Amino acid sequence: MSRRKSFSLLLALLLVVSIFTACTGGNNAANESSSSTNQPATGTPKEEEKPSWQTEKITLKFASWETPEMEAKLLEAFMQKHPNITVEKDSSINWPWTDSLTAAASAGNLPDVFWVENVPVGVENDWLYDLTELWDADEETKAIYPNIAKQAVYGGKRLASPTFQFIMGVFVNKTLLEKNNIPLPGYDWTIDEMIDIAKKVSNPAEHIYGIGGPWGNLSFDEHWPALSDASMGNSTFDGEKFHFTNQQWIDGYNQKLELRRLKVEEKMTGEEKKAVFGDEGAWPMQKGHVALGIDGSWNMAALGAQMEKDGAGKLDFYPYPRGKAGQRMPIVLDYIGISSTTKHPEAAYELMKFMTWSKEGWLTRLDLNKELNIDIDKFPVAEFSEVWEKMDGQLKMEGVKAAIKLFDQAVPGFGKTLPGWREYNVWLNDEQKLSEKFVKGELKPADKAKEMEDKANEFVSQAMQRINQ
């Protein structure tokens, strides 16, 4: 073959390769590098557009039983953060709370965001917006304690959010123990220690009592099973069923009946209070006549200061004592929801969390506590270290610091979230009057445990089926 033909053939081949490379883009990395290096910029990156709820003018209505001064300041802080959102306090929602919500719902005037006294009532009446999508997309919800995050979920839908947790602990009158030469127990004390102290202090002839409970009930049957068996929660409920035939429930019930019979428990009548304190509505614990007061942290803010002012004793707040399963402290939760009829669910969600459990909301709240001179009586439902560190300096009772370390093992109450529980209590107390008959000695808890267990499970099972449909 001649050189001319060879050169022509080579030239043809190069032309084909060149055309092929141009069509396929050749070495993409090289081309991109060359392009980015040599070509002038055609424009700046476009800013990501904000969602409409952050830009459009929105008005939300809000209802809670928060301290009015705190509520007003928090709402003000929220509106400063979101200047496009105006929040109005809905004063038409008041006590009786559920009745007010019922009336508002009937009139088509539910607030956009509102505290909920009984979640199942709100679910069954379609008051509540399904929070699941917003909740699952929110990184902050991962910080909420797992035992609390399980609450208010029905058929896989989250229909309300926890707001705060209150500790069910024991107010200890240190002065009364000192007068009786009884050493103060450690904060990791036991059930046996609590009962022993109560019996030693009790002197009913002088109207001095070893122990008292909230609403006139020591509630050992509610709390003790979970302290002895980690598989159980409040009142033996394991998440699906009750177990009143469990011996721990029976023993707890019998123990509270015995302390009442021995007058170790404070159960003064109005007439007795009138004779001793001059006021038939007096609270013997506040008067310094009860050594151990099982009660909620909601009384921390005022009780200790009032007792010390009146010379009724110095007070500390102990975590609930431990049993065989450890120190599983009972807690009480409040709840908040978004109206199913709200036109602005994203904005309502941001308001809901800021006013209750978010990190920013709590940091703002702690600043306002100082400004408004409000003592802490409720606690976050989420593990935000920055919040707990800031809160530490505002806690006035040493025992509270021990109690908050137990939140990861705490046992939430279910009275505000468990469908069927209200109906069961109507059957128990109003129809059968079993609690009254136990107190009078007409019946023993063990004799009725199976019937109560079956009835509670029946009410709850039926209500859950109904609510999950």
Side-chain angles (χ1 to χ4, degrees):
M1 183 181 293
S2 69
R3 288 185 179 182
R4 180 174 293 179
K5 287 183 178 179
S6 297
F7 178 80
S8 298
L9 181 60
L10 179 61
L11 187 62
L13 287 170
L14 287 172
L15 182 61
V16 169
V17 170
S18 176
I19 293 170
F20 178 77
T21 302
C23 292
T24 61
N27 186 327
N28 288 328
N31 285 343
E32 288 170 7
S33 176
S34 174
S35 174
S36 63
T37 303
N38 300 323
Q39 297 298 320
T42 58
T44 56
K46 192 174 182 179
E47 284 189 20
E48 186 177 341
E49 290 186 12
K50 291 183 178 181
S52 59
W53 71 266
Q54 294 183 14
T55 56
E56 65 180 88
K57 292 293 184 182
I58 291 173
T59 298
L60 299 174
K61 288 188 176 183
F62 180 79
S64 83
W65 56 82
E66 175 71 83
T67 304
E69 297 82 3
M70 175 64 77
E71 180 185 67
K73 289 285 188 178
L74 283 171
L75 291 176
E76 182 182 335
F78 178 82
M79 287 186 282
Q80 287 178 352
K81 180 185 177 186
H82 301 285
N84 64 304
I85 302 176
T86 300
V87 185
E88 298 176 353
K89 164 73 174 178
D90 189 343
S91 299
S92 70
I93 308 299
N94 214 316
W95 296 101
W97 198 262
T98 301
D99 292 347
S100 289
L101 288 174
T102 301
S106 297
N109 291 324
L110 274 174
D112 296 272
V113 183
F114 53 92
W115 287 20
V116 189
E117 182 188 17
N118 188 289
V119 179
V121 172
V123 175
E124 292 198 87
N125 287 284
D126 296 322
W127 295 346
L128 298 168
Y129 183 86
D130 183 359
L131 302 172
T132 308
E133 186 175 345
L134 293 168
W135 182 280
D136 290 347
D138 185 352
E139 285 295 314
E140 275 201 311
T141 60
K142 295 177 181 178
I144 294 178
Y145 292 102
N147 54 348
I148 293 176
K150 295 176 183 178
Q151 311 303 315
V153 176
Y154 306 91
K157 297 179 180 179
R158 177 171 299 283
L159 294 170
S161 166
T163 57
F164 313 101
Q165 55 181 329
F166 298 85
I167 305 168
M168 185 59 72
V170 185
F171 287 104
V172 176
N173 188 327
K174 298 190 291 183
T175 304
L176 205 48
L177 265 62
E178 184 179 345
K179 286 181 179 178
N180 285 271
N181 298 313
I182 299 174
L184 282 173
Y187 293 127
D188 63 344
W189 59 330
T190 66
I191 289 173
D192 289 341
E193 285 181 279
M194 181 176 72
I195 300 301
D196 183 56
I197 291 171
K199 288 181 176 179
K200 286 179 177 177
V201 173
S202 187
N203 183 3
E206 298 294 327
H207 298 289
I208 300 295
Y209 301 94
I211 197 167
W215 310 293
N217 188 355
L218 292 176
S219 302
F220 294 162
D221 50 314
E222 295 179 28
H223 303 146
W224 287 15
L227 300 177
S228 301
D229 186 341
S231 69
M232 291 187 186
N234 187 274
S235 294
T236 77
F237 191 62
D238 64 5
E240 295 182 0
K241 292 184 176 181
F242 290 92
H243 302 274
F244 297 146
T245 51
N246 183 283
Q247 192 61 44
Q248 298 299 326
W249 181 87
I250 295 170
D251 290 347
Y253 214 123
N254 286 334
Q255 180 65 88
K256 77 173 185 178
L257 292 174
E258 181 193 14
L259 293 184
R260 181 168 297 190
R261 179 178 59 80
L262 295 174
K263 296 187 177 181
V264 173
E265 178 194 15
E266 183 278 303
K267 288 296 293 182
M268 293 179 71
T269 65
E271 187 178 342
E272 289 176 315
K273 293 175 186 178
K274 179 75 172 177
V276 177
F277 308 122
D279 178 8
E280 63 180 18
W283 183 10
M285 179 74 204
Q286 188 182 58
K287 297 295 184 181
H289 281 241
V290 178
L292 308 174
I294 299 173
D295 216 311
S297 61
W298 49 80
N299 281 318
M300 279 194 323
L303 183 59
Q306 188 64 47
M307 286 179 64
E308 196 158 351
K309 177 183 176 183
D310 296 342
K314 291 186 178 181
L315 210 62
D316 199 357
F317 185 76
Y318 273 54
Y320 206 93
R322 58 187 166 89
K324 294 178 182 178
Q327 205 163 9
R328 305 184 69 212
M329 188 173 60
I331 57 171
V332 176
L333 298 168
D334 275 345
Y335 294 88
I336 191 170
I338 294 175
S339 169
S340 58
T341 59
T342 185
K343 295 179 181 178
H344 309 286
E346 295 88 356
Y349 180 84
E350 291 300 317
L351 174 63
M352 178 195 80
K353 61 181 283 191
F354 183 84
M355 297 297 288
T356 56
W357 58 263
S358 76
K359 181 169 75 171
E360 185 175 10
W362 256 102
L363 292 174
T364 304
R365 178 180 290 273
L366 291 173
D367 287 337
L368 291 172
N369 279 344
K370 290 184 178 181
E371 178 184 332
L372 300 172
N373 195 28
I374 294 176
D375 290 337
I376 293 172
D377 61 1
K378 52 182 174 278
F379 300 89
V381 297
E383 183 61 69
F384 297 125
S385 58
E386 190 177 346
V387 171
W388 290 111
E389 289 168 9
K390 188 170 185 175
M391 180 184 290
D392 187 69
Q394 295 187 28
L395 299 174
K396 295 185 177 180
M397 294 183 182
E398 287 300 314
V400 179
K401 297 178 181 180
I404 62 178
K405 294 176 182 178
L406 302 171
F407 276 144
D408 60 340
Q409 296 296 319
V411 181
F414 52 71
K416 299 172 187 175
T417 55
L418 186 63
W421 185 244
R422 285 198 316 164
E423 293 84 347
Y424 166 72
N425 275 289
V426 170
W427 172 86
L428 177 72
N429 297 311
D430 297 342
E431 296 177 12
Q432 302 297 314
K433 301 188 184 300
L434 292 183
S435 301
E436 182 181 325
K437 291 175 181 177
F438 292 153
V439 171
K440 291 179 178 179
E442 296 174 7
L443 291 171
K444 294 181 179 179
D447 296 336
K448 287 291 184 178
K450 182 65 167 63
E451 182 182 357
M452 293 168 64
E453 177 179 290
D454 290 344
K455 206 67 181 177
N457 288 330
E458 176 187 333
F459 274 112
V460 170
S461 175
Q462 290 178 353
M464 287 296 288
Q465 289 178 17
R466 185 173 66 248
I467 211 168
N468 287 336
Q469 288 180 351

